[in-house]
């Protein structure tokens, strides 16, 4: 068993180097993305540094692969990708994408949790687009207090103080597209006046 573990850990370095060269990423760029120093990354790739979970997690995120892929874990027999939902404070987030950077997509389910009733607006870098699937979503955006129903959408700069929660006693389900670098989602519901057929 220990031999298998050592063998798996020893193969991580070459795998990391291959991933980096295939993506044409420098050690400096990878260090800036992951927060892991250039010297540590170099030692990981050459096998001089033993990989730890603390080092592998940001690398897996940066490369858009699972930890299983980094350590060459044996296949489970199921080829599907299982994105794991996370639940916190009555909110369940189901990731729909797993690529690093760019726009991330989530399905969010808000339970009627009394703890989320009191709005607590937050700010952070990025841009978000919401689309309500079921229920009624209360959205506080700066000085605006809105209620969105099924089929309605909103988009906003997340540097504006914002908060969302269930507008009533019903569960709310909505889609969220989020871009950490401020990418806007382009949605066109109907043609412009000049585009109408004659």
């Amino acid at each position: 068993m220990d031999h298998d573990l050592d063998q798996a850990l020893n193969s991580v370095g070459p795998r990391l180097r291959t991933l980096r060269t295939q993506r044409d990423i420098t050690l400096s760029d990878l260090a800036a993305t992951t927060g892991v120093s250039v010297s540590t990354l170099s030692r990981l790739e050459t096998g001089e540094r033993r990989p730890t979970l603390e080092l592998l997690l940001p690398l897996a995120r940066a490369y858009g692969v699972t930890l299983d892929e980094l350590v060459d874990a044996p296949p489970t027999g199921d080829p599907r990708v299982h994105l794991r939902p996370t639940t916190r404070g009555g909110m369940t987030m189901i990731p729909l994408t797993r690529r690093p950077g760019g726009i991330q997509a989530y399905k969010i389910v808000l339970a009627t949790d009394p703890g989320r009733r009191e709005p607590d607006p937050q700010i952070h870098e990025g841009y978000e687009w919401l689309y309500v699937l079921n229920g009624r979503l209360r959205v506080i955006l700066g000085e605006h207090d809105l209620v969105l129903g099924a089929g309605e959408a909103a988009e906003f700069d997340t540097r504006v103080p914002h908060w969302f929660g269930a507008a009533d006693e019903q569960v709310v389900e909505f889609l969220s597209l989020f871009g950490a670098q401020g990418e806007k989602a382009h949605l066109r519901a109907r043609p412009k006046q000049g585009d109408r057929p004659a």
Side-chain angles (χ1 to χ4, degrees), residues 9-32:
L9 290 175
N10 290 337
S11 67
V12 171
R15 195 167 294 107
L16 289 173
R17 184 184 295 276
T18 300
L19 282 168
R20 186 173 58 78
T21 54
Q22 283 175 345
R23 288 162 170 76
D24 198 27
I25 300 171
T26 66
L27 283 172
S28 298
D29 290 340
L30 188 59

Side-chain angles (χ1 to χ4, degrees), residues 126-140:
Y127 203 85
E128 189 160 3
W129 181 84
L130 307 174
Y131 179 82
V132 180
L133 298 167
N134 291 304
R136 298 175 69 230
L137 180 68
R138 181 180 177 199
V139 179
I140 293 181

Side-chain angles (χ1 to χ4, degrees), residues 4-85:
D4 291 344
L5 178 62
D6 285 340
Q7 193 172 0
L9 290 175
N10 290 337
S11 67
V12 171
R15 195 167 294 107
L16 289 173
R17 184 184 295 276
T18 300
L19 282 168
R20 186 173 58 78
T21 54
Q22 283 175 345
R23 288 162 170 76
D24 198 27
I25 300 171
T26 66
L27 283 172
S28 298
D29 290 340
L30 188 59
T33 303
T34 61
V36 178
S37 73
V38 170
S39 63
T40 299
L41 291 170
S42 177
R43 291 190 347 250
L44 276 172
E45 287 187 0
T46 59
E48 295 172 27
R49 172 81 186 254
R50 189 173 175 94
T52 64
L53 190 58
E54 183 180 346
L55 294 171
L56 292 178
L57 278 173
L59 288 168
R61 233 179 264 121
Y63 289 132
V65 298
T66 65
L67 284 173
D68 286 353
E69 291 171 289
L70 278 186
V71 298
D72 196 25
T76 61
D78 185 349
R80 293 173 293 179
V81 173
H82 298 282
L83 300 170
R84 293 180 182 90

Side-chain angles (χ1 to χ4, degrees), residues 175-186:
L175 297 177
S176 168
L177 297 179
F178 173 75
Q181 283 73 46
E183 301 93 337
K184 290 187 179 185
H186 297 283

